[in-house]
Amino acid sequence: MMDTPAELSAVEARRQIGARELTPSALLEACITRIEQRNPLVNAVITTNFDEARRQAKIADTAVRAGEALPPLHGLPVLIKDLSRTKGLRTTFGSRCFETHVPDHDDIIVERLRAAGAIVLGKTNTPEFGAGANTSNLVFGATGNPYNTTVTSGGSSGGSAAGLASSMAPLASGSDLGGSLRIPASFCGIVGMRPSPGIVPSRSHVSGFSHLWTDGPMARTVEDLILMLSAISGFDARDPLCSPNLEIEYKDFHAIEDLAHSRIGFSTDLGVAEVDSGIAALFESRQPIIGKHFKSASVLDVDLSDAAAAFRVLRAQSLYAAYGELAENQPDLIGPNVRNNILEAKSLHLSDTALADAAHTQIYRRFQAIFAEVDYLICPATSVSPFPLEENHPAAINDKPLKEYYAWYAITWALSLVGSPIVTLPCGLDHQGMPFGIQIVGPRHSDAKLLRFARGLESALMQDGLGRESPKFSASDAVIA
């Protein structure tokens, strides 16, 4: 028995709403109570929308009572990462430049969630403009991890991940350039997906032809992830990477892929990432447990060492295109992560970007070729255990100094270059007792097949004792370390 409807999965909550066993208003109030109890501990939700959400929930209640046809997310509360614009609700992008900004329109991901019946409950914390994998900014401060509030929730979708893990809402939005969705999913023990570019369209990304940045769903189960993705995917002609053939349909996911027919490859470091020795040993010890479920499982010699130089240039180019002019006009309001990328972009030449684009193409082609050998690649989702909130980033891994603030998460940003869909799945706890996640990578545009596979693996890991574990809150809602 659940203590509160806030603990329900999105799929089960929606079933109960449709069966008139639960009202949207009752579900909403349960989530609001959870926010009021637990948000002071983690600082995940930084702008609330309670009054309007209650009004929308009453309208949703009426539709149920009237026997109307209900949309797929009818009455489900959703949290929105503060990088997405929400009409009439403050959107700061984690920056002092937009501290009081209230948009006059929704970004398409929000527009589609509302159209599917979801109720926007609030906005979640993010580092300034999403630059950084520790969710902290100069407007709202840092977001703690629900499993230990003294350490980071990851970033840049750390607020969404922490909110989900704390049962503040059944669904939340995220986005990913170099791991911004996958890292917090791993650190907070929830499920997240970086879809193939173009699956979730955008009208707001400045570099619309870049494959680096994509919005994506976050949830506590793969089935909930599929439900959310079915609402936010689909064609929009204003996104140059979008295609009419890329829509995800929830009704197509009743069957779970048979793991016994799958060929799996493992890589601990992708040939580019410095991985903490404890994390590496943990992942390697779990490979036989994971691998026993498949037709074949082997260690692959993956070499993405050339991704570092390309990502450095492409990341700086993307951030400069989006925020370069703003940073030059309001330099005193811009934080160090964004400022350093802007300065790096200004030091580059056309020859640098030309070589980075060419390298990116070769990385993509070489990586996609591995799917002739295996069906999926599995690797760690993070190279370290969650680190203290006050640290912007780890200064070293295995006593090896790290130069750039983003060097510690090469295990995710190297995969941002390969064009593949990636699901981050909880895989028990790490050697320090914190959530540990794995990345499951499939061929480009295999999103639907990957999700069916991930759903099967999620079930298998739970049977192996390596599924998601909820954070332990006491009766007074203090985190039990």
Side-chain angles (χ1 to χ4, degrees):
M1 294 291 292
M2 298 288 179
D3 293 332
T4 165
E7 299 282 352
L8 293 171
S9 70
V11 169
E12 176 59 19
R14 176 60 181 82
R15 185 201 67 78
Q16 291 190 19
I17 288 171
R20 302 190 185 187
E21 298 169 5
L22 174 68
T23 66
S25 287
L27 176 59
L28 177 71
E29 292 303 327
C31 291
I32 289 175
T33 296
R34 274 292 165 89
I35 291 173
E36 292 173 341
Q37 291 172 335
R38 295 181 174 178
N39 197 57
L41 299 168
V42 295
N43 192 36
V45 179
I46 42 78
T47 299
T48 61
N49 192 40
F50 293 168
D51 290 343
E52 176 60 18
R54 285 180 168 123
R55 190 180 76 82
Q56 292 296 326
K58 288 179 180 177
I59 295 172
D61 293 343
T62 301
V64 174
R65 289 194 301 268
E68 296 178 12
L70 305 180
L73 303 186
H74 187 82
L76 297 183
V78 62
L79 293 170
I80 304 297
K81 183 177 178 179
D82 203 30
L83 290 188
S84 293
R85 295 170 182 84
T86 42
K87 182 178 180 180
L89 185 63
R90 182 172 60 160
T91 302
T92 73
F93 311 103
S95 174
R96 290 179 294 176
C97 299
F98 293 91
E99 192 166 354
T100 60
H101 173 60
V102 178
D104 61 3
H105 68 282
D106 287 329
D107 278 344
I108 188 172
I109 187 173
V110 180
E111 178 184 301
R112 288 186 170 182
L113 287 167
R114 292 193 205 267
I119 297 172
V120 174
L121 184 51
K123 305 298 289 289
T124 58
N125 205 17
T126 180
E128 185 177 35
F129 300 126
N134 181 358
T135 294
S136 181
N137 60 59
L138 296 174
V139 182
F140 301 111
T143 295
N145 193 306
Y147 294 79
N148 178 352
T149 57
T150 68
V151 300
T152 181
S153 58
S156 63
S157 306
S160 287
L164 283 167
S166 303
S167 300
M168 296 179 189
L171 299 171
S173 70
S175 58
D176 192 293
L177 186 150
S180 287
L181 193 152
R182 291 163 283 159
I183 294 164
S186 177
F187 276 177
C188 294
I190 57 103
V191 183
M193 184 181 190
R194 175 188 169 92
S196 295
I199 292 287
V200 179
S202 172
R203 303 171 192 152
S204 59
H205 296 166
V206 174
S207 301
F209 285 94
S210 171
H211 288 67
L212 284 187
W213 192 275
T214 179
D215 293 316
M218 303 180 78
R220 292 192 290 268
T221 70
V222 175
E223 190 176 19
D224 285 359
L225 197 80
I226 295 167
L227 180 66
M228 182 174 176
L229 185 60
S230 69
I232 61 178
S233 66
F235 182 63
D236 188 285
R238 285 161 286 190
D239 186 328
L241 300 181
C242 199
S243 165
N245 303 316
L246 300 181
E247 189 169 357
I248 300 296
E249 294 281 355
Y250 178 71
K251 63 180 175 60
D252 296 335
F253 287 88
H254 296 300
I256 298 175
E257 186 168 336
D258 186 355
L259 303 183
H261 295 301
S262 298
R263 302 165 302 161
I264 299 302
F266 291 110
S267 177
T268 301
D269 61 10
L270 301 175
V272 66
E274 187 70 31
V275 178
D276 174 78
S277 58
I279 294 291
L282 176 80
F283 179 66
E284 288 162 11
S285 71
R286 290 188 181 168
Q287 288 178 20
I289 303 173
I290 299 170
K292 70 183 181 184
H293 297 287
F294 309 118
K295 177 180 179 180
S296 65
S298 58
V299 175
L300 288 187
D301 183 18
V302 180
D303 182 9
L304 294 181
S305 56
D306 49 348
F311 182 75
R312 168 183 167 267
V313 174
L314 296 172
R315 175 189 175 86
Q317 175 181 290
S318 178
L319 287 173
Y320 187 85
Y323 309 115
E325 183 177 354
L326 182 68
E328 291 181 5
N329 291 337
Q330 302 184 60
D332 294 339
L333 297 181
I334 300 295
N337 286 359
V338 176
R339 184 167 58 248
N340 289 342
N341 278 281
I342 300 303
L343 291 174
E344 186 160 46
K346 293 178 70 173
S347 72
L348 297 172
H349 302 283
L350 181 60
S351 57
D352 296 310
T353 58
L355 291 173
D357 284 337
H360 188 189
T361 302
Q362 291 305 311
I363 290 166
Y364 166 81
R365 289 172 176 163
R366 190 173 71 245
F367 186 86
Q368 293 300 319
I370 73 170
F371 296 112
E373 303 175 47
V374 299
D375 299 306
Y376 304 98
L377 173 71
I378 297 178
C379 65
T382 48
S383 294
V384 298
S385 194
F387 49 89
L389 275 177
E390 58 271 16
E391 294 180 11
N392 183 41
H393 61 278
I397 298 178
N398 299 328
D399 296 324
K400 180 179 178 179
L402 303 176
K403 183 179 179 182
E404 301 90 0
Y405 75 88
Y406 55 85
W408 71 271
Y409 53 98
I411 197 71
T412 53
W413 56 245
L415 291 173
S416 295
L417 300 177
V418 305
S420 286
I422 308 168
V423 171
T424 295
L425 200 63
C427 188
L429 302 179
D430 70 11
H431 58 301
Q432 296 191 16
M434 294 298 291
F436 172 72
I438 54 174
Q439 296 181 89
I440 313 168
V441 191
R444 180 170 173 80
H445 291 161
S446 67
D447 299 63
K449 194 169 186 291
L450 173 65
L451 284 165
R452 283 191 288 269
F453 174 82
R455 192 174 168 199
L457 182 54
E458 176 186 48
S459 177
L461 290 175
M462 290 176 65
Q463 293 174 21
D464 291 333
L466 292 176
R468 176 179 183 265
E469 295 192 22
S470 299
K472 294 179 174 60
F473 288 88
S474 70
S476 63
D477 286 297
V479 174
I480 301 174

